[in-house]
Amino acid sequence: MRTDQPLPPVGGLRPDVHTGKVALVTGGGTGIGRATALDLAAGGASVVICGRRPEPLAEAAKEIEALGGSCVTLSADIREESHVTTVVDRALDAFGRIDVLVNNAGGQFSAPAEEISPGGWRAVHRLAVEATWAMTREVARRAMIPRRSGAVFFIAFSPRRGIPGFAHAASARAAVENLAAGLSLEWSRYGIRTVCVAPGTIATGGLDDHYTPEDRERWERSVPLGRLGRPEDVSGLISFLASPQGSYITGTTVVVDGGADAWGAGHPVPDVPHHLTTPDSSPNKDNP
Ligand SMILES: CCCCCCC/C=C/C(=O)SCCNC(=O)CCNC(=O)[C@H](O)C(C)(C)COP(=O)(O)OP(=O)(O)OC[C@H]1O[C@@H](n2cnc3c(N)ncnc32)[C@H](O)[C@@H]1OP(=O)(O)O
Ligand SMILES: NC(=O)C1=CN([C@@H]2O[C@H](COP(=O)(O)OP(=O)(O)OC[C@H]3O[C@@H](n4cnc5c(N)ncnc54)[C@H](OP(=O)(O)O)[C@@H]3O)[C@@H](O)[C@H]2O)C=CC1
């Protein structure tokens, strides 16, 4: 199967599986977030999508409305706490509840670890960890804890370990995996499920814009199933996890990666000069 063949929304789920639910998807105008918003809407959910740029949000809303769904779009930078509050205000004004939160907005740049400045590190963690927590906390306190129900999704990375060039991003996503696990211990008592989804490399516009065709080919070669993922491979999983069929799943990470996590960051291993790996050639061998 080719990566560029989209899957129909809803997949094998019933078309009314999310009827009556309200879902908030951060970064819902593009890529995985857009596919997730479409899948949830195709299952009957009303959706709220946010992102910084209004244009992709408007495009996604048009597609959702063409499916017969309801969609509210909000232009917001979720790194700003006041924007997080406004997004939740507007979602509650529009629909009165939020049942599903998909913390999808995220991003990074690829750089050797030693070249990531403190500011660059902070930029990545601020979005993937701090903004995600701010949104989760706001939605939980105002919409989910009072109703004693909800499902919160987080997005991590596969492989679930160090990835060359992504020291900041892989560590941020590890934090988010741990957050999903820890929150399940505290919030199961409120009927809130917290699940992390770890996609492998997924063919999105974001991937095309920020990485080279060589990166993409290298990643593709490290996938046992032999192709990159489609946004719908991830969104279909989230839609299932949000459905009643997923209601016993919480506090864990579900990997959707064509087998990439089973293999690792690819073959061959990152280049390490020979003299650093042979014990008798240490520059400090006389003074260890
Ligand atoms: C084997 C499997 C491999 C798996 C691969 C996983 C593939 C994952 C793919 C995806 O996630 S695709 C989604 C793609 N979308 C993005 O990644 C978004 C692109 N990135 C950004 O939008 C931004 O980089 C950011 C991370 C969100 C930061 O945005 P911000 O507006 O805060 O940045 P700035 O204000 O411009 O800079 C802040 C800080 O960061 C430093 N910096 C920014 N870019 C770079 C860079 N390319 N290289 C080095 N440093 C960078 C910048 O210099 C600033 O630092 P200081 O100057 O303050 O020190
Ligand atoms: N594609 C891949 O291979 C993988 C992706 N992921 C993660 O999945 C998520 C979606 O990725 P993908 O669809 O590929 O990428 P995109 O770049 O298409 O999606 C990122 C979305 O987040 C929004 N966003 C970014 N920063 C902010 C912000 N500060 N406030 C609000 N919205 C923001 C963007 O909109 P705007 O720019 O308008 O704000 C955009 O819609 C990301 O977290 C990504 O890191 C994880 C593993 C692999």
Side-chain angles (χ1 to χ4, degrees), residues 22-25 46-51 54 57 61 65 70-78 81-99 135 138-139 142-143:
V22 176
L24 167 54
V25 184
S46 300
V47 296
V48 178
I49 55 177
C50 67
L57 296 171
E65 281 154 11
S70 294
C71 180
V72 166
T73 65
L74 296 165
S75 186
D77 182 341
I78 61 163
E81 280 179 37
S82 62
H83 290 208
V84 168
T85 307
T86 304
V87 169
V88 177
D89 286 345
R90 297 283 301 280
L92 292 175
D93 287 349
F95 298 120
R97 57 193 285 166
I98 302 169
D99 303 280
M135 183 62 83
E138 190 77 3
V139 170
R142 295 178 57 194

Side-chain angles (χ1 to χ4, degrees), residues 26-33 50-53 56 76-79 104-108 127 155-158 173 199-207 210:
T26 67
T30 64
I32 294 169
C50 67
R52 289 164 300 176
R53 291 165 297 154
D77 182 341
I78 61 163
R79 294 173 297 186
N104 163 78
Q108 61 284 317
L127 178 57
I155 304 283
F157 277 179
S158 165
R173 304 306 171 124
T201 311
I202 307 299
T204 62
L207 194 79
H210 298 286

Side-chain angles (χ1 to χ4, degrees), residues 11-22:
L13 299 176
R14 289 165 53 120
D16 61 352
V17 67
H18 303 305
T19 297
K21 298 269 175 68
V22 176

Side-chain angles (χ1 to χ4, degrees), residues 161-231:
R161 59 193 85 163
I163 300 174
F166 289 89
H168 47 1
S171 58
R173 304 306 171 124
V176 154
E177 284 201 43
N178 200 296
L179 178 61
L183 288 176
S184 75
L185 307 181
E186 298 199 40
W187 289 356
S188 289
R189 66 176 178 270
Y190 300 130
I192 300 173
R193 291 186 297 117
T194 51
V195 185
C196 191
V197 168
T201 311
I202 307 299
T204 62
L207 194 79
D208 288 345
D209 290 348
H210 298 286
Y211 301 96
T212 64
E214 293 72 37
D215 289 332
R216 186 184 161 122
E217 278 160 28
R218 197 176 67 252
W219 291 333
E220 204 160 31
R221 283 200 301 274
S222 69
V223 181
L225 282 181
R227 66 169 176 87
L228 297 189
R230 298 163 292 203

